[in-house]
Amino acid sequence: MDNIKRKNNYFDGMQLTRDHKLVFIFVMSAFFFEQFDNTNFGFVAPALIKSWGVTMDVIPQITSWYFIGMMLGALLGGLVSDKIGRKKTFLGSVLLFSLGSFLNALPGTSLNFFIIARALTGFGVFAMMVVSITYISEMAPAEVRGKWQGLVAMCGLFSVPLVGLISRFVIPLSPDAWRILFYIGALGIIPFIIGIFTMKESPRWLVSKGRIAEAEKIVEEISKQKIDLSDLTIAPKESVWENIIELFKLQYIKRTVMLLIALTCITIAMMSMSNWTPTLLTAKGFSLTAALSITTIGIFAPPFGGLLNTLTSDKGGRKIPLIIYAFSTAVFILLFANLTTNSILIIGIVYFAQGGLMTCLCNALYSYQAESYPTRMRNTATGGINAVARFFTAVFQPLIPLVFTAYKFSGVFTLFAGLMFVTGLSILLLGTKTGGRSLEDIT
């Protein structure tokens, strides 16, 4: 260990040590189960209709309450983590979504109980997502911030194809076999227990609270260098309302408006496609087996999207890759909407392409969002903006059956493509370059 106390902006400019990489590996493990619980209902929904004898109209109720749970998780998770820290909020969120998944798996429960448990899962899932976005950005060196956001996402998103594979072979076994997916999701309790003893608090958050010595100790433990953080500015104490107002002041309003538009559009498109594609494919005339086969091909896309983000996100100041991802995603969704072939392979490949690009866009946008605000309000901003996006996603869900009735399968997915064009346009007109710069320099 270097005994000379150096001036340093946290981890910027440093090579990652073994302990530093272990920080990200832990987040990957929690993110794996978070994504498992976030994805599984899209595969469970068609089986749930048959198992419980409910109609297609019940699915929007479940997904809407799930998104309401996510909205509240984003909002409260962001506010709480800015108050009590990233570690406590992160671990509490993992505990909540694991508990919610376990309750969803219990036999002999009512539909209302299932909806409440699913909403609890949504709360935990997105509270953890908000904290993890900020935590990774605050813990990674500026030079590789996008890379590690992508690597964490890529490894965590391997749960998505796993959900598809399990669904493909397990769900057809019996009317209640879908419960197995929720029992597996409940295993998120394992990283929760590990994290109690191993997770490190964010030094940036500690400095924002005036706890300089604790921050220096954590940086030293991770980087193996003695770092002097005493000259860093301690954030003034501000109320939640003051932080929210600041989002719309001159310094931040352009990025706030852009993020509200982009994240709302991509959230509606991404979450709706994840939850509705198998059901809409069966409604179009595909068998349940064929629908699950198509989506199984597609669910290998998220890890690919994470890898693509890892390789490209830090280039072009992050803005240029974001624009390319958004417009490319729109093109492939539009192609998926208007395919006339019945080939499961061809449909699956197009679905794979749009899914990979959309995942890449989403992960890069999360990095951009965390980079856009100072530590004292970073999670409040991240949570608040994502809460708005989840709110409109919840409101949007009952419209999908109506659009399907009026404009069929192609109409629904053409609408999703339009949302992605709006995302790209907002980044093009209002986005700024943030990649590779210190968080403190950006804000």
Side-chain angles (χ1 to χ4, degrees):
M1 182 183 297
D2 191 343
N3 291 318
I4 300 173
K5 210 170 191 181
R6 296 178 176 174
K7 297 283 185 181
N8 191 276
N9 214 2
Y10 303 98
F11 303 106
D12 296 346
M14 293 184 180
Q15 294 294 319
L16 265 65
T17 64
R18 173 181 172 275
D19 288 350
H20 207 163
K21 292 176 182 178
L22 287 175
V23 169
F24 298 121
I25 291 172
F26 164 73
V27 178
M28 289 173 192
S29 67
F31 190 62
F32 178 91
F33 288 102
E34 186 259 9
Q35 284 298 303
F36 194 102
D37 286 335
N38 186 49
T39 306
N40 54 16
F41 185 73
F43 295 92
V44 165
L48 196 66
I49 292 173
K50 291 189 175 183
S51 175
W52 284 4
V54 297
T55 64
M56 186 176 174
D57 294 336
V58 171
I59 304 303
Q61 297 178 39
I62 299 173
T63 53
S64 290
W65 279 104
Y66 179 73
F67 290 130
I68 289 172
M70 295 181 85
M71 177 191 71
L72 294 175
L75 182 60
L76 295 179
L79 295 175
V80 170
S81 67
D82 276 344
K83 293 295 182 182
I84 70 171
R86 314 312 191 204
K87 177 178 178 177
K88 291 178 181 178
T89 311
F90 185 96
L91 293 177
S93 303
V94 175
L95 179 62
L96 285 178
F97 73 67
S98 301
L99 175 62
S101 186
F102 177 78
L103 295 175
N104 273 134
L106 293 178
T109 57
S110 66
L111 177 61
N112 288 336
F113 182 89
F114 184 94
I115 291 174
I116 293 170
R118 188 64 183 157
L120 177 63
T121 303
F123 184 99
V125 159
F126 216 74
M128 197 214 87
M129 174 66 81
V130 166
V131 181
S132 67
I133 293 167
T134 294
Y135 185 72
I136 295 168
S137 293
E138 291 177 350
M139 298 296 284
E143 299 81 5
V144 292
R145 199 159 48 230
K147 172 185 175 180
W148 277 99
Q149 195 82 255
L151 281 173
V152 170
M154 179 182 69
C155 294
L157 287 168
F158 272 109
S159 64
V160 179
L162 183 61
V163 171
L165 290 172
I166 293 173
S167 300
R168 177 65 180 84
F169 295 106
V170 172
I171 288 178
L173 294 179
S174 72
D176 279 344
W178 53 266
R179 297 183 190 277
I180 294 173
L181 274 81
F182 291 114
Y183 281 126
I184 296 173
L187 295 177
I189 194 70
I190 296 174
F192 164 76
I193 295 172
I194 295 173
I196 292 174
F197 303 100
T198 63
M199 189 178 182
K200 306 288 187 182
E201 183 54 85
S202 164
R204 280 185 163 94
W205 180 82
L206 289 170
V207 168
S208 75
K209 300 302 180 183
R211 294 158 63 177
I212 307 294
E214 293 176 64
E216 289 178 343
K217 181 180 178 182
I218 289 176
V219 173
E220 182 180 336
E221 288 175 351
I222 293 174
S223 69
K224 310 306 179 188
Q225 296 185 44
K226 288 184 177 294
I227 302 300
D228 184 1
L229 301 176
S230 59
D231 63 337
L232 295 176
T233 303
I234 298 174
K237 290 186 177 180
E238 294 181 340
S239 68
V240 171
W241 183 242
E242 287 174 324
N243 282 337
I244 293 173
I245 290 176
E246 192 168 358
L247 294 177
F248 297 94
K249 288 184 177 179
L250 183 61
Q251 184 178 2
Y252 299 114
I253 188 168
K254 189 169 77 167
R255 65 187 73 177
T256 298
V257 170
M258 187 281 286
L259 286 166
L260 282 169
I261 294 172
L263 280 167
T264 297
C265 289
I266 191 174
T267 301
I268 290 174
M270 181 176 238
M271 299 306 298
S272 298
M273 290 181 68
S274 173
N275 283 279
W276 279 96
T277 298
T279 302
L280 292 175
L281 284 169
T282 55
K284 186 181 180 181
F286 288 93
S287 67
L288 177 59
T289 300
L292 289 175
S293 296
I294 292 169
T295 49
T296 296
I297 296 172
I299 48 95
F300 284 94
F304 169 77
L307 175 61
L308 182 60
N309 179 50
T310 298
L311 298 174
T312 60
S313 166
D314 287 316
K315 301 182 185 303
R318 207 167 325 281
K319 176 181 177 178
I320 293 174
L322 281 168
I323 295 169
I324 295 172
Y325 302 153
F327 288 133
S328 299
T329 303
V331 169
F332 276 97
I333 295 177
L334 197 61
L335 180 60
F336 183 73
N338 295 283
L339 285 173
T340 56
T341 180
N342 289 322
S343 169
I344 292 175
L345 180 60
I346 293 175
I347 297 172
I349 289 173
V350 175
Y351 187 65
F352 173 93
Q354 64 79 27
L357 288 165
M358 185 180 287
T359 302
C360 185
L361 168 64
C362 191
N363 291 332
L365 198 56
Y366 285 152
S367 294
Y368 180 92
Q369 182 180 19
E371 293 166 337
S372 297
Y373 302 99
T375 301
R376 70 179 185 278
M377 57 188 285
R378 183 169 292 122
N379 258 8
T380 297
T382 301
I385 292 170
N386 279 283
V388 172
R390 259 54 191 180
F391 171 78
F392 282 107
T393 303
V395 170
F396 189 85
Q397 297 310 295
L399 300 178
I400 294 178
L402 300 179
V403 175
F404 181 82
T405 300
Y407 301 103
K408 306 304 179 186
F409 184 89
S410 62
V412 174
F413 284 89
T414 299
L415 176 58
F416 294 153
L419 291 171
M420 300 312 300
F421 273 116
V422 173
T423 299
L425 191 61
S426 68
I427 299 169
L428 176 65
L429 298 178
L430 300 175
T432 57
K433 293 184 177 182
T434 62
R437 298 167 61 194
S438 166
L439 295 180
E440 287 66 35
D441 290 342
I442 297 170
T443 57

